[in-house]
Amino acid sequence: DAGVTQSPTHLIKTRGQHVTLRCSPISGHKSVSWYQQVLGQGPQFIFQYYEKEERGRGNFPDRFSARQFPNYSSELNVNALLLGDSALYLCASSSDYGADTQYFGPGTRLTVL
Amino acid sequence: GESVGLHLPTLSVQEGDNSIINCAYSNSASDYFIWYKQESGKGPQFIIDIRSNMDKRQGQRVTVLLNKTVKHLSLQIAATQPGDSAVYFCAEFAQNTGTASKLTFGTGTRLQVTL
């Protein structure tokens, strides 16, 4: 079975632009979480989605939004990009809401110039 | 490849020796803990987990110890191999009713295996 997949692998944007990142969870997993990992730090929680509903949000501005589709895949959107948004964006899937073990994808490396 | 953590604490271990990586967690309500391994350019990979009602759990070449009194976790890797070189993160999980079930990660430790 395929693991968590993310696209694109790398992305370069300029300040003020908008970006959409995509994630497909492990087959059968219904919950998707998004994390931001800045170089030199551990991943920081952004969102959790389950059954197309947002179940939680970390300490990120409203420029960050996400959604989950009926097939449980998910998109993370970031508007009005800032230099500080440059990071590795990780998607993790788990079998259910409240399921503790989360499996991570390879991430999307976003560079904002 | 791009480094995951340029300014992380580093542990250097000779091939064949045992490695011990330590982690302090913050939330006394956390009831589940996970160790992840992250290689350069990749996402975190699940290694081993432990629940708060346990103090030790063993896997293949890895052991996790949990001391709830001092809120401390450790990961022991036996007979360390070059392929173990990576950044290791501990993560804590607290089930919050009605809110997100999120992982909170520690700062990470870089393990360097020397030949």
Side-chain angles (χ1 to χ4, degrees):
Chain A
D1 276 344
V4 178
T5 59
Q6 293 186 244
S7 64
T9 305
H10 294 87
L11 205 51
I12 299 175
K13 293 284 189 177
T14 56
R15 281 177 295 175
Q17 285 189 310
H18 162 272
V19 69
T20 298
L21 311 180
R22 295 177 176 84
C23 169
S24 292
I26 292 170
S27 177
H29 282 193
K30 299 179 179 179
S31 180
V32 169
S33 298
W34 287 94
Y35 292 80
Q36 180 196 64
Q37 186 175 26
V38 174
L39 205 59
Q41 298 181 16
Q44 298 292 314
F45 173 77
I46 309 176
F47 287 111
Q48 183 190 30
Y49 273 78
Y50 174 73
E51 292 286 7
K52 297 174 287 181
E53 291 187 5
E54 182 183 306
R55 290 304 183 109
R57 183 188 186 108
N59 188 23
F60 281 82
D62 292 342
R63 299 185 295 108
F64 288 76
S65 63
R67 55 179 177 168
Q68 187 177 32
F69 299 99
N71 66 352
Y72 304 111
S73 67
S74 178
E75 284 183 354
L76 175 70
N77 296 285
V78 187
N79 292 323
L81 285 166
L82 303 174
L83 295 179
D85 295 330
S86 295
L88 181 68
Y89 288 85
L90 294 161
C91 173
S93 79
S94 55
S95 58
D96 206 344
Y97 170 70
D100 31 36
T101 304
Q102 296 186 14
Y103 298 91
F104 285 83
T108 294
R109 170 66 61 188
L110 172 64
T111 301
V112 182
L113 302 176
Chain B
E2 187 172 349
S3 296
V4 169
L6 298 178
H7 307 292
L8 295 172
T10 298
L11 174 67
S12 290
V13 175
Q14 206 158 19
E15 182 181 6
D17 286 351
N18 297 333
S19 303
I20 299 177
I21 301 171
N22 296 304
C23 174
Y25 65 92
S26 56
N27 186 357
S28 57
S30 293
D31 48 17
Y32 179 63
F33 305 88
I34 309 173
W35 279 99
Y36 285 94
K37 171 186 179 183
Q38 189 172 24
E39 297 174 284
S40 184
K42 298 183 179 180
Q45 175 189 353
F46 174 91
I47 303 174
I48 191 168
D49 57 5
I50 189 168
R51 301 204 175 273
S52 59
N53 61 353
M54 304 171 68
D55 53 21
K56 180 179 180 179
R57 189 169 188 212
Q58 288 185 295
Q60 188 176 20
R61 280 202 310 121
V62 294
T63 301
V64 55
L65 299 178
L66 173 62
N67 185 331
K68 293 182 290 293
T69 302
V70 295
K71 293 192 285 187
H72 182 268
L73 271 172
S74 68
L75 176 69
Q76 301 177 359
I77 304 174
T80 311
Q81 302 169 359
D84 295 327
S85 294
V87 177
Y88 289 81
F89 291 99
C90 67
E92 57 184 299
F93 178 89
Q95 175 70 70
N96 298 312
T97 303
T99 63
S101 303
K102 66 173 185 177
L103 290 171
T104 301
F105 283 80
T107 53
T109 298
R110 177 186 301 282
L111 176 64
Q112 288 182 337
V113 181
T114 58
L115 302 177

